[in-house]
Amino acid sequence: MNEMKETVLDESRAQHEAEMVFPIGGPNPVGEYFIGNSYLETISDKQVTIFNVTFEPGCRNNWHIHHATKGGGQILICVAGRGYYQEWGKKAIEMNPGDCINIPAGVKHWHGAAKDSWFSHLAIEVPGENGSNEWLEPVNDEEYYKLA
């Protein structure tokens, strides 16, 4: 049964990858801050850093904050699949290809795939001074599975 599940996941990954122009990349080096498997590919490391981040169905990152004393933050642009972005204390926003989210420094948030869809977004790091990421608690399963 496990082998069959892996075959279906591999087929859905191939289909997802065919829908976008960016490669999925390798396992995400900060995967310990994710529930499920995510993948990372550097698109640019000049001027601004841009990554393609891909989430398997049901995968999401922990709540986190991008800190900076000046400037900073992050921009997310969905390039394939369907996922969510949520700020602390607000309702989750569904993301589809072409959707763009601007995240100021200091905002607690999470993002990840819908439970039934692969999801890829470009993550653009906004230049800032004294930037750092603070990884926090995992997204509550009960709240996550209420999302459509």
Side-chain angles (χ1 to χ4, degrees), residues 4-97:
M4 188 169 127
K5 184 178 178 182
E6 285 182 32
T7 300
V8 169
L9 194 58
D10 288 345
E11 290 172 2
S12 66
R13 175 187 166 138
Q15 180 180 352
H16 178 77
E17 198 162 20
E19 293 175 8
M20 67 176 166
V21 297
F22 302 106
I24 286 180
N28 194 333
V30 293
E32 70 267 23
Y33 301 113
F34 287 67
I35 295 171
N37 294 314
S38 66
Y39 306 88
L40 187 70
E41 179 69 22
T42 302
I43 304 302
S44 174
D45 59 4
K46 308 285 190 270
Q47 295 177 294
V48 295
T49 306
I50 304 172
F51 297 102
N52 182 41
V53 185
T54 298
F55 302 76
E56 288 182 350
C59 177
R60 67 264 188 201
N61 54 30
N62 289 5
W63 289 97
H64 59 285
I65 302 170
H66 303 281
H67 293 286
T69 55
K70 183 177 180 183
Q74 187 178 49
I75 299 168
L76 306 178
I77 301 171
C78 178
V79 293
R82 185 171 70 91
Y84 293 97
Y85 166 80
Q86 184 176 15
E87 292 181 7
W88 187 257
K90 296 183 179 180
K91 291 183 73 165
I93 298 168
E94 184 175 306
M95 293 186 71
N96 292 287

